[in-house]
Amino acid sequence: MSEQQKFGKVSVLLPNGTADIAAKALAPRLKSLAGMRIGILDNNKEFADLVLSGVAAILQREYSLRELRVWRKSYLGIPAPFTAEMAAGCDAVINGVGH
């Protein structure tokens, strides 16, 4: 949680919270992509859309996906507002980061 200090009429947020550095278990690997619901998250970095459209084309051509959905963040510096929707509707998500 951030601490807030006032300097005249200016409020300054100080990100002094504690970091969660505990090791986390990885999600289990899918045995196959056949019949899976795959999501693609374009984080709006330069050229990510080009790379991800190529990945999407290969996935659709090579695998019998049940569904392929693409989400695009409006700006790369913000959290994706649709993570809950993605988690509920996808078996796996590919996140593109551009260059």
Side-chain angles (χ1 to χ4, degrees), residues 13-86:
L13 294 176
L14 305 171
N16 294 336
T18 57
D20 180 2
I21 58 171
K24 307 286 191 276
L26 296 175
R29 199 177 276 262
L30 297 175
K31 298 209 185 304
S32 171
L33 293 178
M36 294 291 120
R37 302 166 301 160
I38 304 299
I40 293 183
L41 174 58
D42 178 345
N43 68 359
N44 208 356
K45 275 195 158 184
E46 188 175 22
F47 303 118
D49 56 338
L50 297 174
V51 172
L52 291 170
S53 65
V55 169
I58 291 169
L59 289 172
Q60 289 176 318
R61 184 180 68 235
E62 301 291 326
Y63 299 94
S64 299
L65 300 179
R66 182 178 356 158
E67 182 180 8
L68 183 112
R69 290 195 55 198
V70 178
W71 287 268
R72 183 178 171 96
K73 289 174 33 177
S74 60
Y75 175 70
L76 66 98
I78 61 170
F82 23 73
T83 52
E85 179 185 353
M86 296 172 77

Side-chain angles (χ1 to χ4, degrees), residues 79-95:
F82 23 73
T83 52
E85 179 185 353
M86 296 172 77
C90 297
D91 298 302
V93 175
I94 298 166
N95 180 25

